[in-house]
Amino acid sequence: MLRQDEFLSLSKMNFGLSDEQSLVLDQVDRACKGIRPIEDKCYLQHRFNDRVGPAFGEAHLLGLPISKSFGDGQGADTVTYALAIERIGREGTGVRTFVSAHVSLGELTVQKWGSEEQKGRYLPRTTKGEKVMAFGLTEPAAGSDPSSLKTSFEESGGKFILSGQKTWISNGSIADLVIVFAYPRGKSDGMCAFLVERGSAGFSAKPIVNKMGLPTSDTGTIYLEKCEVAKENLLGPRGKGLSVAY
């Protein structure tokens, strides 16, 4: 427990923003104000707002917390990114969901767990908005409980073969690159994470329509029907998918 003098010392800490942080957040604010009229219209029409990605990409915000070494990464610190997400959320949960799924769940996971080759291959394009990311964890019978996932993989012909289904995935039907979690076939441990590209043999996705909420956000179901994934697209150490998921 903090002593009174320690608490008073903390209460006097300066949490003011630097000039650089303020400039970034001003940029976020301008992008948010620009997307507002479109978001309002899409919400009233109950349809996906397909301008969020391009608008934030043009504002150089799709790689905000990503290293400047990769494409349009801005190298923003955690506080700046958190404040940016807070500001984006004021424009609607649909807008914030796109950014969170693409950046927080997608890019940051690749930045933390990806090999240098994987980061160099994907992050330059995702930070520029050329590829949209999604996080494929939730399943019809498992929800978001990793221990109950049914999606499985086996190895054949020098590739991983994934079989299963993911649902209620934010950006699911529009994603070009999905982080997918699966267990070895017939096992309930040793989960692995994979970077699965749209266009891979056995990969398909469709949007979930008539939702009660998030009308301007894409939510999709992903089907993996003996989906072929290259060995180099294993994300993180083999058998450490649970750590990647969290």
Side-chain angles (χ1 to χ4, degrees):
M1 182 178 294
L2 290 174
R3 300 192 310 271
Q4 184 177 13
D5 61 329
E6 291 176 323
F7 178 80
L8 291 174
S9 177
L10 284 173
S11 69
K12 294 178 181 178
M13 288 180 67
N14 179 13
F15 289 101
L17 299 175
S18 68
D19 290 342
E20 183 178 0
Q21 288 174 311
S22 295
L23 285 173
V24 171
L25 294 174
D26 285 344
Q27 189 174 1
V28 173
D29 186 62
R30 287 193 297 272
C32 287
K33 288 176 178 176
I35 202 69
R36 175 77 266 162
I38 304 171
E39 178 68 9
D40 285 343
K41 185 176 181 179
C42 290
Y43 189 89
L44 292 173
Q45 296 176 346
H46 211 83
R47 65 179 175 86
F48 170 57
N49 185 351
D50 61 3
R51 286 301 305 161
V52 174
F56 281 89
E58 291 165 8
H60 308 286
L61 298 174
L62 291 182
L64 197 53
I66 303 304
S67 169
K68 293 181 179 180
S69 301
F70 304 111
D72 207 14
Q74 301 298 305
D77 61 273
T78 302
V79 171
T80 302
Y81 181 58
L83 291 173
I85 288 295
E86 179 184 43
R87 174 63 186 90
I88 291 168
R90 285 164 51 191
E91 302 310 319
T93 305
V95 179
R96 195 272 310 154
T97 295
F98 173 87
V99 178
S100 292
H102 179 74
V103 181
S104 303
L105 295 176
E107 291 178 330
L108 282 174
T109 302
V110 173
Q111 180 167 261
K112 179 177 180 179
W113 292 98
S115 66
E116 290 304 312
E117 188 277 331
Q118 289 170 339
K119 288 185 282 189
R121 180 160 34 117
Y122 291 118
L123 292 179
R125 300 191 67 184
T126 61
T127 56
K128 295 176 183 177
E130 295 173 359
K131 284 185 177 290
V132 174
M133 290 201 68
F135 193 79
L137 179 67
T138 305
E139 294 187 1
S144 299
D145 173 17
S147 65
S148 301
L149 300 186
K150 302 301 181 185
T151 298
S152 64
F153 73 89
E154 54 188 330
E155 296 179 63
S156 177
K159 297 179 180 179
F160 293 108
I161 308 298
L162 276 62
S163 298
Q165 182 178 329
K166 304 293 181 177
T167 195
W168 297 110
I169 305 301
S170 296
N171 297 348
S173 78
I174 63 170
D176 302 290
L177 181 65
V178 184
I179 299 174
V180 173
F181 299 88
Y183 282 107
R185 185 176 181 181
K187 296 184 178 180
S188 58
D189 59 4
M191 179 193 291
C192 291
F194 304 90
L195 290 165
V196 183
E197 297 184 22
R198 172 183 293 278
S200 299
F203 178 97
S204 62
K206 68 177 183 180
I208 296 172
V209 297
N210 299 322
K211 299 178 295 183
M212 292 182 67
L214 294 174
T216 66
S217 171
D218 176 78
T219 310
T221 298
I222 295 170
Y223 302 92
L224 304 161
E225 300 170 304
K226 295 185 178 180
C227 179
E228 298 181 4
V229 179
K231 284 290 185 69
E232 58 265 27
N233 276 30
L234 175 70
L235 179 63
R238 191 182 184 107
K240 295 296 183 180
L242 194 61
S243 297
V244 177
Y246 285 109

